[in-house]
Amino acid sequence: MSANFEAKKVVVQEITEKIKASKSVILVDYNKLTVAEVSALRNKCKQAGCEYKVYKNTLVRKALNDLGHSDFDSDLNGPTAVAFGPDETSAAKVMQTAAKDYEGKIVIKSAFVDNAYVDKAGVKALASMPSREELIAKMLGSMQAPMSNFAGVLNNLVAGIVRVLGAIAEQKN
């Protein structure tokens, strides 16, 4: 076997491991981006905990096919970059924002989320969803609200009793 073939096998294995480790994988067409814009996009991905990489389409296709997913074959044509996300929404949000910011220079193709193919419209829906942390914060806030309201009522009740007792004490003096 040639050294080139072995190198490609190593890259396919790397892509496969990244896909398995990621909760979401977004495929985008980045054809018209400048080098500076790609660097800025990589930095945005890094800040969101994502990874933005460019691989050969055939190697990404092979990795996805090895995992039993051939739905992406039609999307893996032309220049394609891959964003690996640690959760279901962060990579989609970064890529959707980039698509708006760079006005047609970056086009979302599809995604791989929860072992399933997600089309362009699905990626847009994912990007509009709140993250897991945001949902947990909202849930905790709604659970905490009744308790804080109850504490406020008790505080007002005690304060009212203190005011009444204070008024009675002043009248007796």
Side-chain angles (χ1 to χ4, degrees):
M1 303 225 170
S2 70
N4 190 26
F5 182 75
E6 290 301 320
K8 287 180 181 180
K9 279 177 63 175
V10 169
V11 173
V12 168
Q13 184 63 32
E14 173 189 328
I15 296 168
T16 303
E17 293 303 317
K18 285 184 181 185
I19 291 171
K20 286 179 182 177
S22 301
K23 298 250 180 165
S24 64
V25 179
I26 312 294
L27 303 176
V28 296
D29 181 344
Y30 68 97
N31 188 27
K32 298 171 186 157
L33 289 178
T34 65
V35 174
E37 290 169 338
V38 169
S39 294
L41 183 56
R42 277 199 171 98
N43 289 335
K44 288 177 187 175
C45 284
K46 196 176 285 187
Q47 290 170 356
C50 306
E51 183 180 3
Y52 178 88
K53 290 281 269 186
V54 176
Y55 291 108
K56 288 188 169 225
N57 288 334
T58 54
L59 301 180
V60 176
R61 185 178 295 120
K62 174 77 171 122
L64 286 166
N65 287 341
D66 288 351
L67 291 171
H69 300 281
S70 60
D71 302 334
F72 298 92
D73 291 351
S74 62
D75 294 331
L76 291 166
N77 294 315
T80 305
V82 184
F84 300 96
D87 58 34
E88 289 81 1
T89 60
S90 62
K93 286 181 181 187
V94 171
M95 291 300 125
Q96 186 68 30
T97 302
K100 289 178 186 172
D101 291 347
Y102 298 124
E103 296 178 16
K105 291 184 176 183
I106 189 166
V107 178
I108 295 172
K109 292 183 174 185
S110 61
F112 180 69
V113 180
D114 288 335
N115 276 340
Y117 175 84
V118 178
D119 63 359
K120 186 188 287 191
V123 174
K124 198 172 195 176
L126 273 175
S128 66
M129 292 176 68
S131 68
R132 182 175 186 266
E133 290 77 20
E134 292 170 335
L135 290 173
I136 289 171
K138 285 180 182 180
M139 183 183 75
L140 290 176
S142 66
M143 289 171 60
Q144 186 179 10
M147 285 185 243
S148 64
N149 289 342
F150 181 66
V153 167
L154 288 179
N155 188 32
N156 288 338
L157 183 63
V158 171
I161 292 171
V162 169
R163 281 192 298 271
V164 168
L165 290 175
I168 292 172
E170 279 186 28
Q171 283 179 352
K172 289 193 177 192
N173 288 336

